[in-house]
Amino acid sequence: MEEHRLLPMKQGYDKDLFDELYRDTELLRRKLSWQIDSRKFGVDYNEIYSWFNVKFIFVFNKYIDKKDPNQLKG
């Protein structure tokens, strides 16, 4: 849905930090996806989950230079 907003990852981004934050927030993204009534939007669970993944990547890439890792995780 918002994939058009994604940009290539910034040069020299911390891959280990990305992997750690992605792993740490996986359960939250899954929980949030289950709480949304997918029938209301005419999509399935996996589509909603992918929206949260896209949003995670977008926010990480945008704020990696501006926020410390704890704020970025929040």
XYZ file of all heavy atoms in Angstrom:
652
model
N 0.815 -1.183 0.000
C 0.000 0.000 0.000
C 0.868 1.260 0.000
O 0.595 2.168 -0.744
C -0.915 -0.006 1.221
C -1.935 1.084 1.189
S -3.305 0.675 2.255
C -3.365 2.110 3.263
N 1.892 1.307 0.805
C 2.762 2.477 0.836
C 4.169 2.142 0.363
O 5.113 2.846 0.689
C 2.814 3.051 2.246
C 1.516 3.650 2.700
C 1.649 4.355 4.040
O 2.690 4.220 4.702
O 0.713 5.049 4.405
N 4.294 1.092 -0.411
C 5.620 0.692 -0.876
C 6.284 1.771 -1.710
O 7.496 1.843 -1.786
C 5.543 -0.604 -1.688
C 5.174 -1.814 -0.893
C 3.662 -2.008 -0.755
O 2.890 -1.237 -1.355
O 3.266 -2.926 -0.034
N 5.475 2.633 -2.334
C 6.031 3.693 -3.172
C 6.838 4.703 -2.353
O 7.654 5.431 -2.908
C 4.913 4.409 -3.929
C 3.972 5.172 -3.042
N 2.950 4.555 -2.341
C 3.920 6.479 -2.719
C 2.303 5.466 -1.637
N 2.865 6.634 -1.839
N 6.637 4.751 -1.052
C 7.366 5.688 -0.191
C 8.754 5.180 0.181
O 9.586 5.952 0.658
C 6.579 5.937 1.090
C 5.253 6.618 0.853
C 4.492 6.802 2.120
N 5.199 7.758 2.977
C 4.871 7.982 4.239
N 3.869 7.344 4.791
N 5.541 8.846 4.948
N 9.009 3.896 -0.024
C 10.303 3.338 0.368
C 11.412 3.823 -0.552
O 11.254 3.892 -1.766
C 10.260 1.813 0.344
C 9.427 1.138 1.419
C 9.468 -0.366 1.240
C 9.905 1.519 2.798
N 12.527 4.152 0.061
C 13.724 4.545 -0.665
C 14.780 3.472 -0.434
O 14.687 2.699 0.512
C 14.232 5.890 -0.140
C 13.279 7.071 -0.266
C 13.845 8.285 0.459
C 13.013 7.397 -1.712
N 15.803 3.428 -1.277
C 16.898 2.493 -0.996
C 17.503 2.787 0.371
O 17.528 3.937 0.818
C 17.904 2.770 -2.112
C 17.115 3.424 -3.193
C 16.006 4.173 -2.506
N 17.974 1.748 1.031
C 18.578 1.933 2.351
C 19.782 2.859 2.221
O 20.511 2.814 1.230
C 19.008 0.592 2.936
C 17.854 -0.347 3.231
S 16.651 0.294 4.386
C 17.413 -0.146 5.918
N 19.972 3.693 3.242
C 21.085 4.638 3.231
C 22.411 3.895 3.251
O 22.531 2.827 3.839
C 20.990 5.558 4.444
C 19.793 6.470 4.384
C 19.757 7.392 5.558
C 18.537 8.282 5.447
N 18.432 9.223 6.531
N 23.386 4.490 2.616
C 24.714 3.901 2.582
C 25.269 3.788 3.998
O 25.165 4.715 4.794
C 25.659 4.764 1.738
C 25.413 4.674 0.267
C 25.773 3.311 -0.292
O 26.598 2.587 0.257
N 25.133 2.935 -1.380
N 25.815 2.641 4.305
C 26.474 2.435 5.589
C 25.533 2.273 6.769
O 25.948 2.464 7.900
N 24.260 1.920 6.515
C 23.351 1.719 7.643
C 23.802 0.512 8.450
O 24.465 -0.379 7.940
C 21.902 1.569 7.170
C 21.544 0.211 6.619
C 20.904 -0.725 7.409
C 21.837 -0.136 5.306
C 20.580 -1.978 6.922
C 21.504 -1.368 4.803
C 20.877 -2.289 5.609
O 20.548 -3.533 5.126
N 23.450 0.502 9.715
C 23.863 -0.558 10.623
C 22.949 -1.770 10.444
O 21.836 -1.805 10.955
C 23.812 -0.046 12.063
C 24.419 -1.004 13.053
O 24.761 -2.135 12.657
O 24.566 -0.612 14.224
N 23.404 -2.746 9.679
C 22.604 -3.926 9.387
C 22.278 -4.719 10.651
O 21.170 -5.228 10.798
C 23.322 -4.823 8.379
C 22.495 -6.017 7.943
C 23.232 -6.827 6.903
C 22.469 -7.991 6.366
N 21.631 -8.729 7.230
N 23.231 -4.795 11.564
C 22.992 -5.525 12.816
C 21.895 -4.851 13.648
O 21.051 -5.528 14.221
C 24.277 -5.629 13.639
C 25.313 -6.509 12.964
O 24.917 -7.419 12.203
O 26.513 -6.284 13.195
N 21.910 -3.532 13.694
C 20.873 -2.803 14.416
C 19.515 -3.016 13.755
O 18.512 -3.246 14.436
C 21.194 -1.304 14.478
C 20.139 -0.428 15.141
C 19.942 -0.813 16.598
C 20.524 1.043 15.008
N 19.471 -2.971 12.424
C 18.224 -3.213 11.709
C 17.678 -4.598 12.037
O 16.501 -4.751 12.362
C 18.426 -3.073 10.199
C 17.191 -3.372 9.409
C 16.239 -2.388 9.197
C 16.969 -4.643 8.885
C 15.083 -2.663 8.472
C 15.823 -4.929 8.171
C 14.887 -3.937 7.962
N 18.544 -5.609 11.954
C 18.112 -6.982 12.240
C 17.622 -7.127 13.673
O 16.616 -7.795 13.924
C 19.258 -7.963 11.988
C 19.591 -8.108 10.513
O 18.740 -7.758 9.671
O 20.701 -8.569 10.207
N 18.320 -6.489 14.611
C 17.927 -6.571 16.021
C 16.559 -5.925 16.254
O 15.682 -6.509 16.892
C 18.974 -5.891 16.894
C 18.632 -5.871 18.367
C 19.624 -5.072 19.187
O 20.758 -4.848 18.717
O 19.256 -4.666 20.297
N 16.377 -4.719 15.729
C 15.099 -4.030 15.913
C 13.959 -4.761 15.185
O 12.847 -4.841 15.700
C 15.193 -2.587 15.413
C 16.090 -1.657 16.209
C 16.146 -0.281 15.554
C 15.633 -1.549 17.646
N 14.246 -5.287 14.021
C 13.230 -6.019 13.264
C 12.786 -7.265 14.040
O 11.602 -7.565 14.129
C 13.789 -6.394 11.891
C 12.740 -6.882 10.923
C 11.927 -5.983 10.248
C 12.568 -8.243 10.677
C 10.968 -6.422 9.357
C 11.613 -8.687 9.797
C 10.822 -7.783 9.137
O 9.870 -8.221 8.255
N 13.751 -7.964 14.605
C 13.456 -9.159 15.401
C 12.684 -8.792 16.675
O 11.726 -9.464 17.047
C 14.772 -9.852 15.763
C 14.796 -11.310 15.585
C 16.122 -11.969 15.942
N 17.132 -11.142 16.587
C 18.211 -10.658 15.967
N 18.419 -10.903 14.702
N 19.087 -9.935 16.627
N 13.120 -7.720 17.344
C 12.498 -7.314 18.602
C 11.059 -6.839 18.429
O 10.259 -6.939 19.360
C 13.304 -6.208 19.275
C 14.628 -6.709 19.833
O 14.819 -7.942 19.905
O 15.461 -5.858 20.197
N 10.731 -6.302 17.275
C 9.386 -5.761 17.065
C 8.475 -6.699 16.282
O 7.321 -6.349 16.024
C 9.455 -4.410 16.332
O 10.098 -4.591 15.065
C 10.204 -3.376 17.146
N 8.961 -7.875 15.948
C 8.149 -8.796 15.140
C 6.853 -9.190 15.838
O 5.777 -9.173 15.220
C 8.943 -10.047 14.788
C 8.152 -11.003 13.920
C 8.955 -12.189 13.466
O 10.123 -12.328 13.858
O 8.391 -12.992 12.713
N 6.923 -9.532 17.110
C 5.712 -9.940 17.826
C 4.708 -8.795 17.927
O 3.497 -9.015 17.809
C 6.059 -10.467 19.213
C 6.865 -11.765 19.239
C 7.226 -12.141 20.673
C 6.099 -12.884 18.573
N 5.197 -7.584 18.118
C 4.307 -6.430 18.173
C 3.613 -6.214 16.830
O 2.404 -5.989 16.782
C 5.087 -5.176 18.564
C 4.300 -3.874 18.554
C 3.152 -3.927 19.559
C 5.216 -2.698 18.824
N 4.368 -6.303 15.742
C 3.763 -6.135 14.414
C 2.732 -7.211 14.138
O 1.676 -6.940 13.574
C 4.856 -6.134 13.334
C 5.643 -4.835 13.317
C 6.705 -4.778 12.248
N 7.897 -5.480 12.732
C 8.401 -6.565 12.191
N 7.877 -7.079 11.116
N 9.472 -7.132 12.709
N 3.010 -8.436 14.544
C 2.032 -9.522 14.360
C 0.774 -9.283 15.192
O -0.345 -9.459 14.722
C 2.651 -10.857 14.714
C 3.681 -11.327 13.723
C 4.036 -12.782 13.943
N 5.053 -13.194 13.015
C 4.812 -13.565 11.753
N 3.589 -13.554 11.291
N 5.799 -13.935 10.967
N 0.963 -8.858 16.437
C -0.180 -8.599 17.311
C -1.049 -7.473 16.759
O -2.276 -7.579 16.729
C 0.319 -8.242 18.712
C -0.789 -7.968 19.700
C -0.226 -7.627 21.060
C -1.344 -7.295 22.029
N -0.814 -6.906 23.332
N -0.421 -6.399 16.327
C -1.176 -5.287 15.757
C -1.923 -5.711 14.500
O -3.054 -5.276 14.262
C -0.244 -4.112 15.451
C 0.353 -3.402 16.656
C 1.408 -2.398 16.208
C -0.735 -2.724 17.461
N -1.297 -6.567 13.704
C -1.952 -7.050 12.484
C -3.188 -7.875 12.795
O -4.204 -7.770 12.091
C -0.972 -7.890 11.658
O 0.135 -7.127 11.280
N -3.132 -8.700 13.833
C -4.290 -9.524 14.197
C -5.428 -8.690 14.767
O -6.591 -9.071 14.697
C -3.900 -10.601 15.210
C -3.323 -11.811 14.578
C -2.038 -12.264 14.702
C -3.969 -12.735 13.697
N -1.857 -13.397 13.953
C -3.027 -13.710 13.332
C -5.256 -12.821 13.176
C -3.325 -14.758 12.466
C -5.552 -13.869 12.316
C -4.594 -14.820 11.973
N -5.109 -7.530 15.342
C -6.139 -6.705 15.956
C -6.950 -5.907 14.938
O -7.980 -5.344 15.287
C -5.514 -5.753 16.977
C -4.991 -6.478 18.193
C -4.321 -5.545 19.178
O -4.021 -4.399 18.867
N -4.072 -6.050 20.367
N -6.494 -5.850 13.710
C -7.218 -5.127 12.667
C -8.135 -6.105 11.946
O -7.708 -7.184 11.538
C -6.229 -4.467 11.689
C -5.424 -3.404 12.430
C -6.958 -3.871 10.501
C -4.337 -2.771 11.617
N -9.394 -5.725 11.783
C -10.369 -6.571 11.095
C -10.099 -6.498 9.590
O -10.467 -5.523 8.926
C -11.787 -6.099 11.414
C -12.846 -6.997 10.818
O -12.490 -8.075 10.291
O -14.025 -6.626 10.885
N -9.446 -7.519 9.081
C -9.036 -7.504 7.673
C -10.229 -7.533 6.721
O -10.159 -7.011 5.610
C -8.092 -8.675 7.381
O -8.728 -9.899 7.674
N -11.329 -8.111 7.155
C -12.518 -8.159 6.286
C -13.051 -6.761 6.002
O -13.604 -6.506 4.935
C -13.609 -9.005 6.921
C -13.226 -10.485 7.028
C -14.225 -11.233 7.849
N -14.091 -10.736 9.236
C -14.997 -10.909 10.179
N -16.107 -11.550 9.915
N -14.798 -10.459 11.391
N -12.877 -5.877 6.953
C -13.360 -4.510 6.786
C -12.642 -3.800 5.636
O -13.215 -2.954 4.955
C -13.150 -3.738 8.084
C -13.828 -2.392 8.126
C -13.578 -1.699 9.451
C -14.559 -2.202 10.469
N -14.489 -1.460 11.745
N -11.381 -4.148 5.418
C -10.592 -3.519 4.364
C -10.510 -4.374 3.102
O -9.920 -3.957 2.110
C -9.180 -3.235 4.877
C -9.148 -2.248 5.994
C -8.951 -2.674 7.293
C -9.333 -0.904 5.757
C -8.928 -1.765 8.346
C -9.317 0.012 6.791
C -9.116 -0.420 8.092
N -11.070 -5.568 3.143
C -11.064 -6.435 1.964
C -9.712 -7.022 1.644
O -9.416 -7.291 0.476
N -8.881 -7.200 2.652
C -7.562 -7.800 2.468
C -7.400 -8.918 3.487
O -8.241 -9.100 4.357
C -6.429 -6.762 2.630
C -6.526 -5.693 1.564
C -6.470 -6.132 4.006
N -6.317 -9.662 3.389
C -6.082 -10.717 4.371
C -5.018 -10.267 5.381
O -4.443 -9.197 5.270
C -5.695 -12.033 3.704
C -4.378 -11.959 2.957
O -3.840 -10.860 2.785
O -3.888 -13.024 2.548
N -4.798 -11.119 6.351
C -3.851 -10.822 7.444
C -2.458 -10.512 6.913
O -1.796 -9.584 7.389
C -3.812 -12.010 8.411
C -2.620 -12.015 9.316
C -2.578 -11.195 10.435
C -1.515 -12.810 9.037
C -1.470 -11.176 11.272
C -0.406 -12.792 9.860
C -0.393 -11.974 10.974
O 0.710 -11.953 11.781
N -1.991 -11.276 5.943
C -0.630 -11.093 5.436
C -0.438 -9.718 4.806
O 0.640 -9.131 4.899
C -0.279 -12.186 4.425
C -0.138 -13.525 5.089
O 0.290 -13.622 6.233
N -0.522 -14.579 4.394
N -1.466 -9.205 4.172
C -1.377 -7.868 3.584
C -1.232 -6.806 4.669
O -0.413 -5.890 4.562
C -2.618 -7.593 2.731
C -2.598 -6.253 2.040
C -1.591 -6.177 0.919
O -1.156 -7.233 0.411
O -1.216 -5.049 0.560
N -2.005 -6.930 5.724
C -1.909 -5.984 6.833
C -0.543 -6.082 7.505
O 0.089 -5.074 7.818
C -3.043 -6.214 7.850
C -4.377 -5.878 7.194
C -2.826 -5.381 9.107
C -5.578 -6.206 8.019
N -0.047 -7.302 7.676
C 1.280 -7.504 8.257
C 2.353 -6.852 7.382
O 3.296 -6.236 7.887
C 1.544 -8.996 8.440
C 2.859 -9.312 9.092
C 3.133 -8.920 10.394
C 3.845 -10.008 8.408
C 4.338 -9.206 11.000
C 5.060 -10.303 8.999
C 5.300 -9.898 10.291
O 6.496 -10.177 10.884
N 2.201 -6.949 6.078
C 3.176 -6.333 5.179
C 3.131 -4.806 5.291
O 4.155 -4.149 5.135
C 2.945 -6.772 3.736
O 1.821 -6.147 3.185
N 1.962 -4.229 5.587
C 1.883 -2.780 5.788
C 2.746 -2.364 6.967
O 3.439 -1.340 6.906
C 0.451 -2.336 6.031
C -0.483 -2.543 4.885
C -0.164 -2.812 3.588
C -1.905 -2.515 4.947
N -1.306 -2.961 2.840
C -2.394 -2.775 3.641
C -2.829 -2.303 5.964
C -3.744 -2.808 3.350
C -4.166 -2.337 5.662
C -4.622 -2.590 4.363
N 2.690 -3.135 8.045
C 3.508 -2.822 9.216
C 4.997 -3.007 8.909
O 5.837 -2.246 9.404
C 3.100 -3.669 10.420
C 1.849 -3.182 11.090
C 0.661 -3.865 10.941
C 1.859 -2.036 11.869
C -0.497 -3.413 11.543
C 0.703 -1.576 12.480
C -0.479 -2.270 12.313
N 5.342 -3.988 8.105
C 6.745 -4.184 7.715
C 7.247 -3.014 6.884
O 8.364 -2.526 7.096
C 6.917 -5.490 6.948
C 6.824 -6.692 7.839
O 7.164 -6.641 9.016
N 6.344 -7.792 7.286
N 6.437 -2.568 5.941
C 6.818 -1.424 5.108
C 6.997 -0.187 5.968
O 7.959 0.564 5.810
C 5.760 -1.187 3.998
C 5.962 0.157 3.326
C 5.801 -2.304 2.977
N 6.082 0.021 6.907
C 6.177 1.185 7.793
C 7.445 1.107 8.649
O 8.121 2.106 8.861
C 4.944 1.273 8.684
C 4.884 2.495 9.539
C 4.892 3.771 8.732
C 3.528 4.044 8.172
N 3.446 5.344 7.499
N 7.789 -0.092 9.128
C 9.002 -0.261 9.917
C 10.233 0.128 9.100
O 11.096 0.871 9.571
C 9.124 -1.707 10.402
C 10.408 -1.981 11.110
C 10.532 -1.726 12.467
C 11.507 -2.479 10.422
C 11.730 -1.957 13.127
C 12.705 -2.715 11.069
C 12.811 -2.456 12.423
N 10.320 -0.369 7.883
C 11.478 -0.078 7.028
C 11.544 1.413 6.715
O 12.613 2.025 6.744
C 11.425 -0.921 5.746
C 11.563 -2.396 6.097
C 12.511 -0.495 4.762
C 11.243 -3.338 4.956
N 10.399 2.024 6.414
C 10.358 3.447 6.110
C 10.864 4.280 7.286
O 11.703 5.168 7.130
C 8.931 3.864 5.742
C 8.777 5.335 5.526
C 9.214 5.930 4.356
C 8.210 6.138 6.499
C 9.092 7.291 4.165
C 8.078 7.501 6.310
C 8.515 8.081 5.135
N 10.357 3.986 8.477
C 10.744 4.751 9.674
C 12.218 4.522 10.002
O 12.941 5.461 10.336
C 9.828 4.388 10.865
C 10.371 4.937 12.164
C 8.426 4.900 10.618
N 12.673 3.292 9.911
C 14.085 3.005 10.191
C 14.980 3.804 9.258
O 15.929 4.457 9.696
C 14.364 1.507 10.037
C 15.790 1.143 10.321
C 16.200 0.882 11.619
C 16.728 1.079 9.306
C 17.519 0.569 11.900
C 18.048 0.758 9.567
C 18.444 0.504 10.870
N 14.680 3.763 7.975
C 15.518 4.433 6.990
C 15.475 5.958 7.152
O 16.481 6.639 6.960
C 15.085 4.045 5.583
C 16.170 4.261 4.566
O 17.348 4.197 4.875
N 15.765 4.513 3.343
N 14.342 6.496 7.538
C 14.201 7.943 7.674
C 14.897 8.479 8.920
O 15.510 9.541 8.890
C 12.721 8.310 7.715
C 12.475 9.797 7.788
C 11.017 10.127 7.674
C 10.814 11.629 7.722
N 9.417 11.992 7.564
N 14.814 7.750 10.031
C 15.282 8.281 11.303
C 16.563 7.641 11.829
O 16.981 7.950 12.941
C 14.183 8.141 12.358
C 12.995 9.010 12.057
C 11.797 8.448 11.643
C 13.071 10.392 12.179
C 10.707 9.239 11.356
C 11.982 11.191 11.895
C 10.804 10.619 11.485
O 9.722 11.405 11.191
N 17.218 6.797 11.071
C 18.402 6.104 11.560
C 19.507 7.088 11.963
O 20.225 6.861 12.936
C 18.933 5.075 10.528
C 20.080 4.262 11.108
C 19.380 5.751 9.258
C 19.717 3.417 12.286
N 19.628 8.201 11.267
C 20.676 9.184 11.584
C 20.236 10.188 12.637
O 21.056 10.897 13.202
C 21.072 9.947 10.328
C 21.658 9.026 9.262
O 22.218 7.986 9.644
O 21.532 9.361 8.068
N 18.935 10.268 12.917
C 18.410 11.327 13.771
C 18.061 10.871 15.188
O 17.988 11.689 16.090
C 17.156 11.922 13.131
C 17.403 12.493 11.767
C 16.130 12.901 11.088
C 16.423 13.310 9.656
N 15.215 13.505 8.894
N 17.829 9.594 15.389
C 17.375 9.088 16.689
C 18.341 8.018 17.196
O 18.976 7.313 16.431
C 15.980 8.472 16.567
C 14.932 9.383 15.993
C 14.564 10.466 16.956
C 13.450 11.314 16.366
N 13.112 12.443 17.168
N 18.390 7.876 18.517
C 19.188 6.799 19.069
C 18.382 5.489 18.967
O 17.179 5.519 18.743
C 19.601 7.098 20.520
C 18.432 7.111 21.487
O 17.890 6.040 21.760
O 18.085 8.211 21.969
N 19.025 4.337 19.101
C 18.346 3.062 18.874
C 17.096 2.836 19.734
O 16.114 2.264 19.255
C 19.421 2.023 19.206
C 20.695 2.718 18.898
C 20.462 4.155 19.281
N 17.095 3.296 20.984
C 15.914 3.098 21.826
C 14.725 3.915 21.333
O 13.601 3.455 21.338
C 16.219 3.430 23.278
C 17.082 2.386 23.922
O 17.039 1.211 23.558
N 17.908 2.789 24.871
N 14.966 5.163 20.915
C 13.887 5.972 20.357
C 13.420 5.398 19.035
O 12.232 5.415 18.735
C 14.349 7.410 20.168
C 14.470 8.199 21.440
C 14.893 9.621 21.174
O 15.738 9.872 20.324
N 14.290 10.545 21.897
N 14.343 4.913 18.254
C 14.006 4.328 16.969
C 13.130 3.088 17.155
O 12.171 2.876 16.415
C 15.288 3.959 16.223
C 15.189 3.671 14.753
C 14.636 4.867 14.006
C 16.570 3.335 14.211
N 13.434 2.304 18.151
C 12.635 1.117 18.445
C 11.219 1.512 18.861
O 10.252 0.875 18.490
C 13.296 0.290 19.555
C 12.609 -1.011 19.843
C 13.380 -1.765 20.890
C 12.725 -3.077 21.249
N 13.479 -3.783 22.275
N 11.103 2.569 19.632
C 9.794 3.060 20.086
C 8.966 3.550 18.943
O 7.779 3.346 18.832
